[in-house]
Amino acid sequence: MVLGCGCAHVPGDAPPAASSAQAVAPAELVTGDAALRAKLRAALAARGPDYVPRTRHLAPDGSPTYVNRLILESSPYLLQHAHNPVAWFPWGEEAFELARKLGRPVFLSVGYSTCHWCHVMEEESFEDEPIARYLNDHYVPIKVDREERPDVDATYMVALQLVTGSGGWPMNLWLTPDRRPFHAGTYFPPRDGVRPGMRGLLGVLTELAGRFEQDPERITEASGAIATDLARELAAEATPSPIPGIEALAAASAWATSHADPSYGGNAGAPKFPANLPLRALLRHAWRSGDREAAALVTRTLDHMARGGIHDHVAGGFHRYAVDARWLVPHFEKMLYDNAELAICYLEAASFEPRPELVAVARDTLDYVARELRVPGGGFASATDADSLAPGGARREGYYFTWTPAELDAALGPRAPLARAWFAVSEGGNLAGGRSVLHVPRPAVEVAAELGLRLDDFERERAATVLALREARARRPAPLRDDKVQVDWNALAISAFARGALALGDASYATIAADAAELVERELRVGGALRHSLAGGTPGAPAFADDYALLSAAELDLFELTADPRWLDAAVRNLDVLERDFRAPAGGYYRTSAAHENLFGRELVDRDGVVPSATSVAALCALRLAGLTGDDRWRARGEAALAALGSRLRDAPQSLGAGLLALDFFRGEPREIAIVLPDGQSSRDPAARALQDELARHFVPNRVLVVAPEAHVRELAPRVPWLAAKRALGGKATAYVCERGRCELPATDAAAFGRALDKRPAPPALVLPTPAP
C-alpha cells in the first residue's frame, strides 16, 4: 500500500509493480503511517461487499486502486471522491496544519453530490493521474460538501464573486495555509486547449504554485486584499430602517412583470429557475390589488412549468432548472427544497384560482417526494443526481429521464402511439442523439381527437401509460440519491406535507409530515443541541440559523394541522434559540452562532435565495405566533426582523420573496380561523372535512388556524386566547372567522363559511413607515 497525504493504493501493503500509484503519491509524504493505512483499509472493508467505488481506477477484482481520507467521511459527495488519485482531505485543521508545515497552498474544491459540472470536473481532472500527481506534490487538496457546510460554502462564494464577479459550482479556490483566498474560479477543463477560451486546471495549478513559491509577497498582498474585502462584506450589519408599507409588494410585482417572459412565464430568457417565492408574493399582491397582470404571470409560469420538460411527467416532481426559455430541457438533478417549495406554491395558486390542474401538480409533486425521497426513519433525502449510467457504463446527464420512439415502443407496446403524441416524442428528438425530454405542448382534448379517443378514455389510457413508463424506467440504473438528511430542507418538506394534508385531506401526508419532524427532533439533536445534517447515521455540524427558522415554520404548520401543542412548544423553543444564539446586535440573524467556526466574520442573512433566509422566515414565524397567542413580544420580534430588512424591502424588494410574505402578513390583520369539532369527531369526518375543503378553495394567506375538538379547544385557550368560548354549535363542526377577536357569525355549513371567508379585509392604506424598534 502506498500512502500519499492520505491517498492509498489498496491491494496489499507493497507498492504496485506499475508506477501509477507511486507517481500520484508525493514522495516526501510517503511516511509509512501504518495506523492511517489500517484505518483507510478498515473503512473500505466496512462499506461491505455491495459497495461500488465511484472511479475508473479499479483492480481486476473491481476493488479501487486508490483510497484517500474521504473514505472516512459520511457525506455522499465526499465519498464520491474517496477513490480519486487526488489525496483529498476533508475540511479541518489537519489539512491547514499540514499546509503550514509544508509551506504549500491549499486547493479547496466545493460542490455537491448531484452537481453535473462537479461530476464533469471530477472525471476530467480529479480522476486524471498526472493532474492528481501535481495537486498532491504541490498543494494540500481539500474537498467540501456545500450542503454539509453551508457556512464554508457561503463564505468562499462571496470570495469567488469578489474575484470573478459571478458564482457557481463546482467552486474552486486557492488558499494560503491561513485560509485566505488568492485565486478562485468555477469549472476548469483539465488542460489548456480542451475547451476554447478557457484555461485548463493543470496550467492554472502550475502557474499559481510557481507564484506561491517564487513570489510569496505577491501572494500575501493578493490574499490580504481579498481577505479584507471578504471580511468587510461579511461584517456588513443591518441598519434598522422603517418598515415599508404594502407598496413594496407592488414594486416587486412591477419589477417581476417587467422582467418576465410574456410567452412562457418566469424570467425572460434562459436559464429559467422555478422561483416559487416571488410567485407567492405576486399572488398576495394580486389578491390585495386585483392586479390581473400579476395573477396572469403566476398562472402562465406555473402552467408552462407543469407542461415543460422541467416537470418529470413520469414520476412527478421538478428538475432543478431549465437551460432554455421554454422550460423544455432541464438540468436533471431533482432537489428536495425545490419540490417542497413548489408543492406549496401550486397549492396556494390552486386556492387563488381553483383549477384541478394546479391541485394535480401539487399532489403529483408531494407523491414523488413521498415515494422517492423518503429515507428509513421518516426523513427526506436531499436530492437525486442529474447523471446516470447509460448502456455501455458511461454516465450521461439525463439518460434516465429521456426516451426514444423505439424505447417507448419496447416499454409500452400498443400504448406507445399515445405516449409519442402526448409527450411529443419524435425520431429526431429534442436532445443530441435523438433522445427526447418528455413534455406536453398540446392540450389533452387535441391529442385525444387526433388519436380518435373520447376525452375520458384518453385520460384513463394516459394514466395507465404513465404508470407503465414509470415501471419501465425503474428498470434502468437510477441516478444517485443523496440520502443526507438536512434540517432546513426537511423542514420545507414537512411544511409542504402538512399544508398538503390540510388542503387535500390526505391523512398519509399528515403522517409523513409528523414522522419527518419526529426524526429531526429525535436523531438530529446531540445533547439537546440541533445539528444541521445527518449522513450515514452521523450528525453533522451544529445547526445554522436557517435550520432553526425553517424548522420553527414547519412546526407551526404541524400545529395548524394537528392542534398538538407539542409542535407549538417546539416552534417557540427553536425561535428562542435563534434569538439567543444568532441575532445580530442591530437586528436580523447571522448564519452562524458562536458554536461555529468563524471564517472572516459572521455573515448576516438578509436576502432570500432558492431557500428563504432565516431573517425572513423568523419574521413570519414571530408574526404567526403573535396571531396565535396575542403575545406582543412576538409581534415586536417580527417587527425587529422586518426592520432589519427594511432598506432592502424598500430598495430591492424583488430580492426578498419570503421577506415580502412576512411584510404582507405584518401589514394586514391575520384572520383567526377555528374549526371546532364535536368531541369524539375526527378532522377527517365528512362534515369537518367539508369545512376544511371550503377553506382550501379560498386564498387566505394571512391567517392562523386551529382545527380541534371542543374539549381540546378549551385546553388550548390559555395558549391561544382567541379560542375562548368557541364551541361546536348544535353538535356540529363549526367554523369561526375572526380578526382580533371580532368574529363573523359562526358557520356549520361550507357555504356560510365560504361567504365569511369571501369578506376580504379592507386593503391597508399606503401607510407611513413604522419606525424601527
Side-chain angles (χ1 to χ4, degrees):
M1 177 189 277
V2 173
L3 182 68
C5 195
C7 187
H9 182 276
V10 176
D13 279 338
S19 62
S20 62
Q22 182 62 50
V24 172
E28 69 271 22
L29 294 182
V30 180
T31 62
D33 186 335
L36 180 57
R37 290 201 305 272
K39 192 174 182 181
L40 297 180
R41 187 183 296 111
L44 177 62
R47 299 288 165 187
D50 296 329
Y51 177 66
V52 179
R54 184 187 171 102
T55 181
R56 65 173 180 257
H57 302 291
L58 298 171
D61 65 356
S63 62
T65 302
Y66 302 107
V67 179
N68 58 52
R69 281 173 170 83
L70 300 187
I71 194 68
L72 305 173
E73 299 299 307
S74 58
S75 155
Y77 176 63
L78 298 187
L79 289 169
Q80 287 177 1
H81 292 266
H83 305 293
N84 298 157
V86 178
W88 294 113
F89 279 75
W91 179 270
E93 181 55 31
E94 180 187 11
F96 290 103
E97 176 60 33
L98 182 62
R100 287 191 289 271
K101 177 180 177 182
L102 298 174
R104 290 185 180 180
V106 168
F107 176 74
L108 172 65
S109 183
V110 182
Y112 57 102
S113 68
T114 59
C115 165
H116 171 69
W117 284 101
C118 300
H119 300 333
V120 172
M121 193 163 177
E122 177 193 15
E123 180 64 26
E124 291 179 344
S125 294
F126 303 142
E127 285 278 279
D128 182 293
E129 289 178 315
I131 293 176
R133 180 192 314 131
Y134 194 88
L135 265 171
N136 295 345
D137 281 343
H138 297 88
Y139 292 85
V140 174
I142 296 177
K143 259 288 172 195
V144 168
D145 180 344
R146 67 171 295 262
E147 295 168 358
E148 275 200 331
R149 291 299 304 267
D151 54 335
V152 173
D153 175 67
T155 295
Y156 286 107
M157 183 59 70
V158 174
L160 172 64
Q161 291 166 343
L162 287 169
V163 172
T164 69
S166 62
W169 299 276
M171 176 168 63
N172 298 291
L173 299 103
W174 283 254
L175 312 181
T176 63
D178 58 357
R179 294 171 168 76
R180 295 185 301 171
F182 60 90
H183 190 69
T186 53
Y187 164 78
F188 291 89
R191 291 172 176 79
D192 293 343
V194 171
R195 294 182 188 267
M198 298 184 70
R199 289 292 310 275
L201 179 64
L202 184 57
V204 177
L205 288 169
T206 303
E207 178 182 332
L208 292 176
R211 288 186 192 174
F212 189 89
E213 181 178 352
Q214 298 163 19
D215 196 354
E217 291 184 1
R218 184 177 176 186
I219 294 296
T220 299
E221 180 182 355
S223 64
I226 295 172
T228 298
D229 291 343
L230 178 56
R232 184 184 303 114
E233 289 283 326
L234 295 176
E237 292 283 349
T239 301
S241 302
I243 301 171
I246 210 67
E247 66 272 11
L249 271 84
S253 176
W255 187 94
T257 52
S258 69
H259 290 76
D261 184 328
S263 299
Y264 296 98
N267 58 282
K272 270 183 155 60
F273 288 84
N276 76 92
L277 289 169
L279 296 178
R280 294 173 63 196
L282 282 172
L283 285 176
R284 283 153 176 78
H285 166 69
W287 179 72
R288 286 191 180 280
S289 67
D291 186 335
R292 293 184 179 181
E293 186 179 5
L297 174 56
V298 174
T299 54
R300 182 167 68 248
T301 301
L302 293 179
D303 286 346
H304 281 287
M305 283 172 51
R307 293 200 294 265
I310 193 172
H311 183 204
D312 182 351
H313 294 274
V314 171
F318 289 84
H319 299 289
R320 180 67 194 91
Y321 65 95
V323 302
D324 64 294
R326 296 187 295 152
W327 303 103
L328 174 59
V329 179
H331 263 310
F332 289 90
E333 61 264 41
K334 295 172 81 174
M335 314 301 293
L336 174 63
Y337 61 80
D338 278 327
N339 285 284
E341 293 181 286
L342 285 169
I344 293 172
C345 190
Y346 275 92
L347 286 169
E348 286 197 354
S351 67
F352 184 91
E353 182 182 346
R355 287 170 47 209
E357 303 94 326
L358 296 170
V359 174
V361 175
R363 187 183 290 278
D364 172 71
T365 303
L366 290 170
D367 288 346
Y368 154 72
V369 174
R371 184 179 59 250
E372 299 196 16
L373 292 183
R374 286 189 86 196
V375 298
F380 301 97
S382 295
T384 57
D385 205 346
D387 299 358
S388 62
L389 292 177
R395 285 187 177 84
R396 290 175 56 186
E397 185 187 10
Y399 182 86
Y400 180 80
F401 299 99
T402 57
W403 300 82
T404 64
E407 289 170 344
L408 292 180
D409 290 343
L412 299 174
R415 287 196 173 103
L418 184 149
R420 287 198 296 272
W422 179 238
F423 294 123
V425 177
S426 64
E427 292 295 337
N430 48 40
L431 292 176
R435 302 193 69 78
S436 287
V437 180
L438 303 187
H439 65 297
V440 181
R442 297 189 290 163
V445 64
E446 180 181 326
V447 179
E450 179 182 291
L451 296 172
L453 294 173
R454 292 172 44 187
L455 186 58
D456 56 347
D457 291 335
F458 171 78
E459 291 292 356
R460 187 165 47 254
E461 284 297 303
R462 183 193 62 79
T465 298
V466 168
L467 287 175
L469 280 175
R470 189 183 303 164
E471 292 172 1
R473 199 173 78 176
R475 293 191 286 272
R476 296 175 174 178
L480 174 142
R481 187 177 79 168
D482 187 327
D483 284 347
K484 180 171 68 267
V485 173
Q486 299 179 75
V487 170
D488 50 353
W489 298 2
N490 268 250
L492 289 168
I494 293 165
S495 286
F497 278 98
R499 293 181 182 213
L502 194 61
L504 305 176
D506 192 320
S508 69
Y509 291 167
T511 300
I512 289 167
D515 286 351
E518 286 166 355
L519 176 133
V520 169
E521 292 290 356
R522 181 181 68 248
E523 302 292 336
L524 280 126
R525 288 198 183 272
V526 177
L530 191 64
R531 297 299 184 96
H532 168 65
S533 61
L534 183 73
T538 303
F544 299 93
D546 290 355
D547 297 313
Y548 283 101
L550 287 164
L551 184 57
S552 298
E555 288 165 339
L556 287 176
D557 288 330
L558 273 172
F559 174 71
E560 293 199 343
L561 172 68
T562 66
D564 187 336
R566 66 177 170 142
W567 298 123
L568 183 63
D569 294 342
V572 168
R573 281 195 305 270
N574 285 320
L575 284 175
D576 283 343
V577 173
L578 182 70
E579 187 74 5
R580 183 192 70 204
D581 294 347
F582 295 87
R583 191 178 189 276
Y589 298 93
Y590 296 122
R591 184 182 306 278
T592 56
S593 71
H596 294 92
E597 184 177 0
N598 190 341
L599 292 168
F600 304 99
R602 295 171 70 186
E603 180 191 13
L604 189 74
V605 284
D606 63 349
R607 67 192 71 191
D608 298 317
V610 292
V611 173
S613 73
T615 302
S616 294
V617 175
L620 183 53
C621 284
L623 294 169
R624 290 173 69 186
L625 277 169
L628 280 167
T629 67
D631 189 336
D632 286 342
R633 76 182 175 108
W634 290 114
R635 184 167 179 86
R637 196 180 290 185
E639 285 190 40
L642 282 173
L645 301 174
S647 60
R648 189 174 293 280
L649 282 168
R650 183 181 61 253
D651 300 334
Q654 68 275 8
S655 69
L656 278 169
L660 289 170
L661 306 189
L663 176 66
D664 182 63
F665 196 101
F666 174 71
R667 286 299 182 196
E669 288 295 339
R671 295 192 185 183
E672 302 146 358
I673 300 175
I675 299 176
V676 183
L677 314 177
D679 290 334
Q681 186 179 96
S682 164
S683 62
R684 295 192 294 275
D685 181 88
R689 190 62 242 167
L691 294 174
Q692 294 170 85
D693 289 343
E694 187 66 24
L695 176 60
R697 286 190 287 270
H698 290 75
F699 187 67
V700 190
N702 299 337
R703 54 114 172 111
V704 289
L705 173 69
V706 174
V707 182
E710 187 173 306
H712 190 44
V713 165
R714 289 195 296 271
E715 293 171 359
L716 288 172
R719 300 167 186 255
V720 185
W722 53 266
L723 286 176
K726 302 291 190 297
R727 300 289 181 264
L729 301 181
K732 297 179 180 180
T734 305
Y736 296 81
V737 181
C738 311
E739 288 181 31
R740 287 189 175 271
R742 301 185 301 274
C743 301
E744 299 290 330
L745 290 174
T748 57
D749 67 274
F753 184 32
R755 287 192 294 273
L757 293 171
D758 281 336
K759 293 181 180 179
R760 298 187 183 184
L766 297 183
V767 296
L768 290 174
T770 301

